[in-house]
């Protein structure tokens, strides 16, 4: 190719405090091609795109656009260059029309009045390009489906004559048909000369959409290959790389009947036919990529969104948790996946956070808070989970992610539930705390608890599970025993056709 | 145009560049008001007469006028509970000026607008730059403005106000061809506000701010300036409303003027379909809300019921209007994976 | 040292209020000692003005409960509940000849029922609290005015109630302390103690703080969020019902506009709650702060009345209230940014 590449990134690095999020990234993206960027969580993908879209500035390295070196200091600077980014969650104004959303902040005006005709003409073109009906131009965005909203985000990104379009896991929240539509849009854009950077966890879809693939690992780009030279398995190997695989947990699972059983569990539109069983003393992993439905399964077991088909059994008896309160009464404990939103009472103390889920237990006659026991329980938990804090009266908002996570976990351990569902137990937690949380999970199982760990962290899933189920497209697909290889599991989750041994 | 399909926004016709200008809520309001008017005309022959309709239209003007400003404020996600006190300050300043130096009509209106805008500026600046919830700040300024107003009153009612503002009053002077001037002025202001909010970039930015302030800032909108503008506009319109209030009264002005007005204004705005959480609202809805409230008040009086009973209906209308809105919002799609 | 003291005063609302309270009392006493005031700012004067603190503090405690419940919790209808419940209490005690105790109980229950309607709209139907209570404010106020055709009830039994509102000499300490209005002991202190006890010592209090801090996390923790929030509004209504009795006794008359005339009772109550450190965003608020804020406002107002005689006095009270509220709110915002919040 004679022309200079649309984007050429060389030696870009970024550090957040002590964490080297990006060590060394090189990326060459050509106009008219769809360039996939893959890597495990924490490999540095999102940091790289934040730098490209101007949301963060690089500490080192150079960026060239059409052969000209540029510095992208802000989101507006990025937009001026023609870099448009579509994030996973649509950032739109629900009550404004599609046309208005596309032009918010850069309205086309004539004599002080918004030129609706001109805007609509442009939006109609864009809608046609992304495959939405033209009449949507005047429809409020809030009335559209999430997939359509994402398409509107793409239209918005394109309105400013995008020359480089970055799509951050656009398929994660879409259904299969919606993904087909998305691919059509991406292909048309590429054909019209736009350079597309496509980030995805779903390796199988890369073979439908991508021309080239760049793999990232541990903050570095480790190479770029044409898609024709790769297979799902090969990409998985490259992503996992030479990472030392931990040996399986030294642990003999006791025989016995399952304490928790999901038989053909389903929730309309979210997941279906999920079969999982967990015996006492066993840690079962449920591994799936973002959008695979794995998070929804956990929420259903806990009664947040009750299942619509199949059955759920605790100690052999069929149960139908209606609410977290009910699930708790049935002996199911759950660590929510989103610590800040669903877990923490941020400015309240550690002991408040622990007792909030156990008020009945820590009370006298259910009415009075037994403050002495509350204090004792909090101190015991701080000790048992090695929470780093001077005392139990500290607010959790002041704590590190790992310590706060331990406090939220402690809340679930007070009444020693027989079944424990842990969703993303180590998300946003530093390495040391991660080790400790893994140790706590093993201890819980050794004490006889049936533990179901729902995670999108592959090494974690393999490391702590006695058995591992892979969730893909809303259902359990493959099961692995202890000592499964990361490559096999990832390939299964990301949609390799060949089934792992 | 015949019976447009307003309930389904998706039904915009080819060639239309905007959603239909009247929302479902507004159609329902129009229908409710129409039913009320018909029913009241049948129940009391006095209702559909000039002697009843004109005072009704005149009486709704202050609330509707301030409601236009309040709509903008609420659309941005704020609220202003100090408008009653603002009206009081403006009214007493104008009244004193008229009594003291006999200023003409134009000067009186300008004075009211100036004082009102100043008070609105104070509210807006405190809210936008002090980063404090609007409701707290305006609760505070409610007291402060009232203090300032009472100081101007000097512990007595203002007596002997000249009829300078009579062209905005209830009497013959206040009407041309039977149409009250204050109502005409309201319509003009409403039309301008409607055009501004619907057809200019600046107007649309208020809605964006209320929808998502962070996204609005990222889109290059100067959020703080817009927020301050909303409060200034509300103050300014409260100043004009103060003129109407004086014109509708007798030649004396008591210190209780404007007391409790904020709640009537907020009631009219929310009945009109403006969302208290921001991002959505319309001038037309607010006008209809104010008209509905005033219709209920007039109707209750003319039916010979205790006039205080009308507030019970106002309360019920608020519940019904907002409840309908909540139902509509619940039907919106929720993102996959959020619980 | 000074930095720590400043931090303490800024982050601990009770500390700030104590400092302000001492400043007000010292200033006023000094002014009084130098004969700048129209009457002595004495202990007995301060005690007698406490009569104003009773309804104010009780309604502020009601606001404390609903604001702490989060999601924009607020109750604009408390004044209207006072009016309506006061009228019904007036009927029961003044006209139907009920004994006092059942009549008070009726007031309490009716107030709670009004609060239950608010709570249903807010917690179960998802109305914004501001709107729901604005609507019920109108409805209750209207009913209060209509129920007896705008006329107050001041029959003999009601008038005799006035004696209960007068000041009493404390037993045991006798004349060592000034005479304090009886309402303090019969209504305010018990209410404050109960609210404090519920918030600080019971599981219901914990649930309230939990839903106010983060209602999603509360749900995931197995707390019945709707019921808890509903209860807060019921409690606020019940307290308003008690305030109705206090108000009837104070005026020797059940007035249909008792809680709604002028600016009404809700606005000052909300103001005092916020001044007392209750965060409008929920999850933060303590009885001590609200009580101290009431004392500050009442004694500041009492001082202003003596310093600025006549009508100007009441006007300066508005000024003081407004300034104190705005400054407190700005201070809250500042400490939020500098120290991460007020406690």
């Amino acid at each position: 190719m004679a022309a200079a590449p649309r984007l050429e990134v060389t030696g870009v690095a970024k550090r957040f405090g002590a964490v080297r999020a990006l060590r060394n990234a090189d990326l060459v993206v050509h106009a008219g091609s769809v360039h996939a960027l893959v890597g495990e969580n924490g490999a540095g993908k999102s940091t790289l795109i934040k730098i490209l879209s101007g949301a963060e500035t690089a500490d080192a390295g150079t960026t060239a656009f059409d052969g000209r070196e540029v510095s992208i200091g802000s989101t507006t600077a990025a937009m001026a260059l023609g870099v448009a980014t579509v994030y996973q969650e649509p950032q739109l104004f629900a009550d404004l029309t599609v046309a208005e959303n596309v032009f918010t902040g850069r309205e086309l005006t004539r004599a002080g009045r918004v030129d609706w005709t001109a805007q609509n003409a442009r939006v109609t073109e864009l809608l046609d390009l992304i495959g939405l009906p033209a009449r949507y131009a005047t429809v409020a965005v809030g009335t559209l489906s999430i997939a359509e909203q994402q398409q509107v985000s793409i239209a918005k990104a394109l309105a400013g004559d995008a020359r480089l379009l970055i799509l951050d896991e656009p398929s994660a929240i879409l259904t299969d048909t919606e993904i087909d539509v998305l691919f059509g849009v991406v292909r048309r854009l590429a054909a019209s000369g736009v350079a597309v950077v496509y980030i995805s966890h779903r390796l199988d879809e890369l073979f439908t959409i991508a021309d080239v693939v760049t793999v990232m690992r541990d903050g570095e780009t480790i190479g770029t290959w044409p898609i024709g030279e790769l297979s799902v398995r090969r990409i998985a190997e490259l992503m996992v790389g030479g990472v030392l695989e931990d040996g399986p947990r030294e642990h003999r699972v006791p025989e016995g009947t399952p304490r928790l059983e999901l038989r053909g569990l389903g929730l309309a539109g979210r997941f279906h036919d999920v079969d999982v069983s967990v015996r006492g003393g066993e840690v079962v992993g449920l591994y799936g990529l973002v959008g695979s439905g794995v998070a929804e399964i956990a929420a259903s077991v806990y009664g947040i969104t009750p299942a619509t088909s199949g059955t759920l059994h605790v100690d052999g008896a069929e149960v139908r948790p209606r609410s977290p309160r009910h699930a708790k009464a049935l002996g199911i404990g759950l660590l929510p996946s989103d610590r800040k939103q669903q877990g923490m009472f941020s400015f309240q103390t550690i002991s408040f956070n622990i007792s909030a889920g156990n008020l009945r237990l820590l009370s006298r006659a259910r009415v009075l808070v037994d403050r002495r026991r509350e204090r004792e329980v909090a101190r015991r938990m701080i000790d048992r989970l090695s929470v780093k804090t001077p005392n139990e009266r500290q607010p959790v908002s002041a704590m590190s992610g790992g310590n706060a996570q331990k406090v939220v976990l402690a809340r679930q351990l007070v009444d020693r539930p027989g079944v424990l569902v842990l969703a993303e137990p180590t998300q946003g937690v530093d390495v040391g705390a991660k080790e400790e949380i893994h140790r706590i999970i093993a201890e819980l199982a050794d004490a006889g608890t049936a533990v179901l760990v729902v995670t999108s962290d592959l090494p974690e899933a393999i490391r702590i599970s006695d058995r591992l189920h892979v969730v893909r497209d809303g259902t359990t697909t493959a099961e692995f025993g202890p000592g499964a290889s990361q490559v096999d599991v990832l390939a299964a989750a990301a949609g390799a056709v060949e089934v792992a041994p | 145009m015949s019976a447009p399909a307003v309930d389904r926004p998706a039904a915009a016709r080819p060639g239309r560049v905007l959603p239909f200008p009247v929302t479902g809520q507004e159609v329902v309001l129009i229908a409710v008001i129409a039913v009320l008017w018909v029913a009241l005309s049948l129940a009391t022959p006095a209702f559909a007469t000039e002697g009843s309709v004109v005072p009704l239209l005149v009486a709704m003007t202050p609330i509707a006028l301030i409601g236009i400003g309040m709509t903008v404020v609420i659309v941005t996600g704020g609220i202003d509970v100090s408008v009653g006190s603002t009206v009081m300050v403006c009214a007493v300043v104008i009244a004193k000026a008229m009594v003291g130096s006999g200023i003409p009509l134009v000067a009186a209106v300008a004075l009211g607008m100036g004082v009102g805008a100043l008070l609105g500026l104070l509210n807006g600046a405190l809210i936008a730059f002090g980063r404090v919830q609007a409701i707290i700040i305006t609760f505070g300024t409610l007291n402060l403005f009232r203090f300032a107003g009472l100081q101007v009153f000097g512990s007595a009612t203002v007596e002997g106000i000249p009829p300078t503002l009579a062209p905005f009053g209830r009497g013959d002077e206040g009407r041309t061809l039977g149409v009250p001037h204050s109502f005409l002025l309201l319509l003009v202001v409403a039309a301008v506000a409607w055009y501004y909010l619907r057809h200019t970039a600046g107007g649309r930015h208020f809605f964006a701010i209320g929808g998502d302030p962070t996204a609005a800032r990222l889109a290059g909108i100067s959020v703080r300036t817009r927020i301050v503008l909303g409060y200034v506009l509300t103050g300014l319109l409260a100043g004009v409303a103060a003129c109407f209030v004086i014109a509708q009264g007798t030649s004396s002005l008591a210190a209780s003027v404007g007391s409790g007005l904020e709640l009537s204004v907020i009631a009219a705005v929310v009945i009109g379909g403006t969302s208290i959480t921001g991002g959505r609202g319309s001038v037309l809805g607010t006008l209809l809300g104010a008209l509905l409230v005033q219709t209920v008040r007039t109707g209750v009086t003319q039916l010979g019921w205790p006039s205080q009973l009308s507030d019970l209906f106002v309360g019920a209308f608020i519940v019904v209007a907002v409840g309908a809105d909540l139902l509509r919002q619940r039907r919106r799609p929720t993102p996959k994976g959020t619980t | 040292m000074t930095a720590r003291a400043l931090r303490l005063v800024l982050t601990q609302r009770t500390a700030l209020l104590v400092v302000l309270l001492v400043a007000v009392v010292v200033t006023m006493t000094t002014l009084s000692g130098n004969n700048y005031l129209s009457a002595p700012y004495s202990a007995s004067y301060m005690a007698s003005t406490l009569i104003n603190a009773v309804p104010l503090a009780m309604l502020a405690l009601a606001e404390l409960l609903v604001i702490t419940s989060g999601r924009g919790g607020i109750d604009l209808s408390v004044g209207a509940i006072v009016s309506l419940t006061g009228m019904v209490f007036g009927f029961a005690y003044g006209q139907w000849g009920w004994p006092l105790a059942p009549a008070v109980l009726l007031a309490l229950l009716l107030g709670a029922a009004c609060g239950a309607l608010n709570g249903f709209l807010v917690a179960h139907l998802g109305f914004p609290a501001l709107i729901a209570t604005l609507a019920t404010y109108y409805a209750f106020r209207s009913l209060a005015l209509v129920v007896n055709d705008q006329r107050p009830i001041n029959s003999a039994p009601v008038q005799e109630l006035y004696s209960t509102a007068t000041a009493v000499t404390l037993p045991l300490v006798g004349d060592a302390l000034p005479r304090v209005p009886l309402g303090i002991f019969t209504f305010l202190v018990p209410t404050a103690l109960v609210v404090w006890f519920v918030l600080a010592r019971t599981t219901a209090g914990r649930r309230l703080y939990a839903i106010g801090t983060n209602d999603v996390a509360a749900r995931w923790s197995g707390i019945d969020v709707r019921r808890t929030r509903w209860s807060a509004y019921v409690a606020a209504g019940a307290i308003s019902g008690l305030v109705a009795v206090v108000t009837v006794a104070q005026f020797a008359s059940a007035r249909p506009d008792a809680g709604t005339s002028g600016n009404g009772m809700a606005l000052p109550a909300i103001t005092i709650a916020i001044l007392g450190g209750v965060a409008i965003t929920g999850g933060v608020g303590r009885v001590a702060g609200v009580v101290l804020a009431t004392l500050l406002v009442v004694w500041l107002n009492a001082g202003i009345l003596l310093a600025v005689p006549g009508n100007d006095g009441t006007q300066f009270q508005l000024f003081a209230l407004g300034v104190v509220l705005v400054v407190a709110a700005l201070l809250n915002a500042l400490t939020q940014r500098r120290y991460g919040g007020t406690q």
Side-chain angles (χ1 to χ4, degrees):
Chain A
M1 216 174 285
R6 177 60 47 82
L7 175 76
E8 184 162 11
V9 171
T10 322
V12 166
K14 176 75 185 177
R15 158 194 291 280
F16 295 105
V19 183
R20 290 175 71 186
L22 205 55
R23 291 158 192 272
N24 181 22
D26 299 317
L27 187 66
V28 179
V29 184
H30 290 280
S33 85
V34 179
H35 195 121
L37 190 60
V38 298
E40 283 220 74
N41 290 338
K45 302 182 305 271
S46 44
T47 310
L48 179 57
I49 60 162
K50 273 184 190 150
I51 289 169
L52 293 179
S53 62
E56 300 281 356
T57 44
D59 297 336
T62 56
T63 308
F65 212 76
D66 287 331
R68 213 159 35 81
E69 191 165 322
V70 292
S71 82
I72 305 176
S74 67
T75 45
T76 30
M79 280 187 245
L81 281 173
V83 179
T85 313
V86 178
Y87 294 99
Q88 237 182 73
E89 295 298 322
Q91 293 197 327
L92 299 169
F93 305 103
D95 291 302
L96 299 187
T97 67
V98 168
E100 285 184 291
N101 266 282
V102 167
F103 286 100
T104 301
R106 52 183 175 192
E107 289 83 358
L108 307 178
T109 56
R110 206 172 54 194
R113 185 182 197 269
V114 175
D115 192 341
W116 299 111
T117 323
Q119 281 198 8
N120 276 45
R122 178 82 183 109
V123 169
T124 310
E125 280 172 34
L126 290 170
L127 288 175
D128 186 48
L129 184 69
I130 60 173
L132 287 179
R135 67 185 166 85
Y136 274 20
T138 56
V139 166
V141 159
T143 61
L144 302 181
S145 76
I146 297 301
E148 289 169 331
Q149 291 191 19
Q150 187 162 47
Q151 285 170 279
V152 172
S153 300
I154 296 175
K156 188 176 169 182
L158 297 176
D161 287 319
R163 296 159 56 72
L164 175 70
L165 178 66
I166 303 172
L167 298 167
D168 184 9
E169 287 196 53
S171 60
I173 56 169
L174 303 183
T175 64
D176 283 348
T177 20
E178 290 164 350
I179 289 172
D180 284 343
V181 176
L182 174 75
F183 284 176
V185 174
V186 172
R187 253 182 243 111
R188 251 172 295 163
L189 287 174
S192 69
V194 177
V196 181
V197 173
Y198 187 94
I199 291 153
S200 179
H201 271 125
R202 301 180 53 157
L203 304 183
D204 53 341
E205 69 186 26
L206 300 185
F207 293 87
T208 340
I209 189 65
D211 300 313
V212 249
V213 179
T214 293
V215 180
M216 292 191 76
R217 188 170 73 216
D218 295 331
E220 286 180 87
T221 47
I222 59 164
T224 302
W225 294 266
I227 191 75
E229 295 177 8
L230 296 169
S231 66
V232 168
R233 213 183 149 75
R234 179 70 191 131
I235 299 176
E237 281 167 10
L238 290 166
M239 282 167 65
V240 173
V243 175
L244 280 178
E245 307 227 345
D246 304 302
R249 195 160 70 87
E250 282 303 319
H251 181 237
R252 259 190 39 237
V253 179
E255 297 295 314
T257 50
R259 298 206 69 172
L260 173 70
E261 236 187 321
L262 285 60
R263 291 189 200 152
L265 205 68
L267 176 62
R270 304 287 163 97
F271 59 88
H272 59 93
D273 299 313
V274 172
D275 292 298
V276 175
S277 70
V278 192
R279 287 192 290 269
E282 191 179 31
V283 179
V284 173
L286 209 53
Y287 171 72
L289 304 173
V290 175
S292 62
V294 70
E296 286 86 350
I297 297 173
S300 265
V301 172
Y302 203 52
I304 296 276
T305 45
T308 49
S309 61
T311 55
L312 189 64
H313 303 258
V314 172
D315 289 327
E318 187 182 336
V319 295
R320 294 172 182 279
R322 294 182 305 270
S323 65
R325 238 156 81 83
H326 188 208
K328 216 169 161 51
L330 294 167
I332 305 171
L334 182 132
L335 179 75
S337 57
D338 187 336
R339 180 168 60 245
K340 284 224 169 79
Q341 292 280 328
Q342 302 161 339
M344 280 167 63
F345 298 105
S346 60
F347 50 79
Q348 306 287 2
T349 64
I350 295 174
S351 57
F352 181 104
N353 270 274
I354 294 176
S355 64
N358 301 282
L359 289 171
R360 189 168 289 186
L361 201 70
L362 298 177
S363 67
R364 283 187 229 132
R366 292 189 181 184
V367 174
L368 296 181
V369 177
D370 188 338
R371 302 203 306 157
R372 198 174 52 83
R373 274 188 62 207
E374 181 188 27
R375 198 166 50 236
E376 281 170 10
V377 164
R379 286 181 182 164
R380 206 169 63 229
M381 284 296 172
I382 288 171
D383 193 42
R384 181 171 155 204
L385 306 187
S386 324
V387 180
K388 286 172 200 70
T389 175
N391 57 49
E392 75 284 358
R393 296 183 304 277
Q394 297 298 312
V396 289
S397 51
M399 303 171 81
S400 71
N403 277 313
Q405 182 75 333
K406 286 180 191 171
V407 171
V408 178
L409 178 60
R411 183 188 304 152
Q412 301 303 332
L413 304 183
V414 174
D415 60 350
R416 299 196 180 92
V419 174
L420 202 50
V421 181
L422 308 175
E424 305 292 354
T426 60
Q427 199 165 67
V429 157
D430 63 82
V431 181
K434 192 167 177 171
E435 290 283 336
E436 286 175 17
I437 289 173
H438 288 169
R439 171 184 62 77
I440 294 162
I441 293 173
E443 282 173 13
L444 286 167
D446 290 340
T449 314
V451 184
L452 181 66
V453 177
V454 177
T455 180
S456 56
D457 180 334
L458 179 57
E460 168 171 285
I462 290 175
R463 187 171 166 205
I464 62 174
S465 307
D466 295 319
R467 282 185 298 122
L468 178 61
H469 288 275
V470 170
V471 177
R472 194 174 137 238
D473 289 338
T475 191
T476 38
T477 50
E479 183 180 340
F480 294 88
S485 86
Q486 291 198 29
V487 175
D488 291 339
V489 176
L490 183 58
V497 186
E498 71 267 42
V499 175
Chain B
M1 193 172 299
S2 66
V6 288
D7 52 333
R8 284 192 315 134
R13 313 238 162 127
R16 176 168 289 150
V17 293
L18 275 173
F20 193 74
V22 182
T23 65
Q25 176 111 357
E26 286 154 6
V27 173
V28 172
L29 274 177
I30 291 169
V32 170
I33 292 169
V35 168
L36 277 180
W37 278 52
V38 170
L40 286 169
S41 310
L42 295 176
T44 62
F47 182 81
T49 60
E50 196 187 327
S52 152
V53 170
V54 167
L56 191 160
L57 295 182
V58 171
M60 73 170 266
T61 51
I63 291 173
L65 204 54
I66 303 170
I68 291 169
M70 186 74 83
T71 305
V72 176
V73 165
I74 294 181
V75 158
T76 61
I79 196 156
D80 186 351
V81 295
S82 72
V83 288
S85 299
T86 307
V87 166
M88 179 224 189
V89 174
C90 295
V92 68
V93 168
I94 297 165
K96 283 266 178 175
M98 288 196 301
V99 172
S101 40
I103 55 166
L105 177 104
V106 177
V109 176
L111 185 62
M113 287 167 64
V115 173
L118 205 64
L119 299 182
L121 182 65
L122 182 64
N123 274 333
L126 283 171
I127 291 161
F129 295 96
R131 286 190 263 179
V132 182
Q133 288 93 348
I135 188 160
I136 297 182
I137 285 296
T138 54
F139 264 135
T141 53
L142 178 157
N143 289 305
L144 289 177
F145 295 169
R146 188 148 287 267
F147 162 75
L150 288 169
Q151 286 290 301
V152 181
F153 261 106
S155 74
T157 52
V158 183
E159 303 282 356
I161 300 171
T164 318
L165 289 169
F168 292 136
R170 242 183 284 253
D172 286 339
E173 256 188 283
R175 273 178 276 173
T176 302
L177 300 172
V179 184
H181 298 144
S182 56
F183 186 71
L184 275 180
L185 186 65
L186 169 68
L187 290 186
V188 171
V189 171
V192 172
W194 173 84
Y195 182 86
Y196 176 67
L197 287 177
R198 190 171 164 87
H199 287 299
T200 70
R204 299 313 293 168
H205 289 171
F206 286 110
F207 292 86
I209 291 168
D212 187 341
T214 318
R217 196 167 41 79
L218 288 177
I221 296 170
S222 51
V223 175
R224 286 179 173 178
T225 315
R226 289 277 137 202
I227 287 178
V228 173
L229 254 176
Y231 290 93
V232 170
L233 178 70
T234 306
L236 197 130
L237 291 174
V240 180
C243 298
F244 291 180
V245 169
I246 295 173
Q248 289 170 24
T250 57
S251 65
S252 68
L253 189 70
S256 64
V257 59
S259 181
L261 192 64
E262 58 277 354
L263 296 183
S264 307
V265 172
I266 295 170
V269 172
V270 298
I271 289 177
T274 296
S275 161
I276 199 79
T277 48
R280 189 162 35 93
S282 80
V283 172
L284 177 61
T286 298
L287 287 194
L288 292 171
L291 180 59
L292 176 61
V293 169
Q294 199 54 50
T295 302
V296 169
R297 297 224 157 111
T298 306
V300 164
T301 318
Q302 295 204 343
L303 287 171
W305 296 350
S307 64
Q308 292 77 22
L309 202 58
S310 58
D311 279 350
L312 184 63
F313 296 111
V314 173
F317 274 120
I318 295 175
V319 170
V320 171
V322 178
D325 193 48
L326 286 173
L327 277 180
R328 257 204 304 278
Q329 295 221 345
R330 233 170 245 186
R331 285 205 302 258
R332 284 199 169 170
T334 48
K336 193 170 146 189
T338 57
T339 43
Chain C
M1 191 59 215
T2 38
R4 269 180 69 186
L6 181 70
R7 192 194 160 110
L8 179 77
V9 165
L10 286 181
T11 56
Q12 299 289 328
R13 178 49 59 91
T14 42
L16 176 66
L17 288 169
V18 167
V19 169
L20 287 176
L21 194 57
V22 168
V24 164
V25 172
V26 167
T27 310
M28 290 300 170
T29 316
T30 313
L31 287 177
S32 175
N34 295 320
N35 290 322
Y36 282 111
L37 303 182
S38 59
Y41 192 81
S42 62
S44 68
Y45 175 69
M46 284 167 69
S48 68
T49 57
L50 284 178
I51 188 85
N52 301 318
V54 178
L56 210 52
M58 287 176 72
L59 291 181
L61 289 170
E63 297 292 348
L64 161 70
L65 293 173
V66 292
I67 297 175
T68 301
S69 79
R71 279 276 148 112
I74 201 160
D75 192 343
L76 295 180
S77 73
V78 287
I81 297 179
V82 168
S83 297
L84 178 60
T85 316
M87 288 310 289
V88 174
F89 172 76
F91 279 124
Y93 186 67
Q95 295 193 347
W96 308 335
W98 288 27
L100 185 61
V104 173
L105 187 67
L106 176 70
L108 184 84
L109 290 178
L110 181 67
C114 293
L117 176 60
N118 287 333
F120 177 72
L121 290 172
V122 174
H124 291 86
L125 298 187
F127 275 69
L130 189 74
I131 301 301
T133 58
L134 173 65
T136 56
Y137 161 82
Y138 276 114
F140 299 153
R141 183 180 75 166
S142 161
L143 289 173
L145 289 167
V146 170
V147 74
N148 197 32
D149 207 11
Q150 286 199 76
R151 279 172 291 130
I153 300 168
N154 40 21
S155 59
V158 171
Q159 293 199 10
E160 282 158 19
L161 265 184
Y162 184 70
S163 60
T164 61
T166 55
V168 289
T169 305
L170 296 176
L172 300 178
V173 286
D175 288 327
L177 278 177
R179 290 156 64 87
V180 173
L182 184 61
I184 294 281
F185 301 105
T186 46
F187 285 92
L188 177 55
V189 171
T191 308
L193 281 178
V194 168
V195 174
W196 169 82
F197 184 77
V198 168
L199 287 181
R201 292 285 183 267
T202 69
T203 54
R206 286 302 170 83
R207 286 195 293 270
L208 186 70
Y209 283 119
I211 66 163
T213 307
N214 181 348
D215 60 357
V216 178
R219 179 163 170 245
W220 285 75
S221 302
I223 291 171
D224 192 336
V225 175
R226 282 181 181 175
R227 199 184 159 77
T228 307
R229 186 164 285 143
W230 178 79
S231 310
Y233 285 86
V234 173
I239 293 175
S240 309
L242 287 180
V243 172
V245 177
V246 173
T247 313
V248 170
Q250 235 174 59
F251 293 114
S253 160
R255 292 188 341 200
D257 64 346
T260 44
S261 61
N263 270 341
M265 282 183 169
L267 265 53
I270 294 165
T271 306
I272 285 184
I274 289 163
L275 183 59
V278 180
I280 202 92
T281 42
V284 181
R286 285 159 59 184
V287 172
V290 171
V291 170
L292 283 171
T294 315
L295 289 180
L296 176 66
V297 167
V298 167
W299 282 339
L300 178 63
N301 280 348
I304 290 172
L305 271 189
L306 297 185
V308 190
N311 240 331
D312 269 3
T314 40
Q315 295 175 16
F316 269 101
Q317 292 179 346
L318 291 172
F319 176 73
L321 191 64
V323 168
V324 165
L325 180 63
V326 170
V327 170
L330 290 173
L331 219 55
N332 267 1
L334 184 80
T335 51
Q336 194 76 44
R337 288 199 287 275
R338 277 204 61 172
Y339 303 112
T342 310
Q343 301 212 329

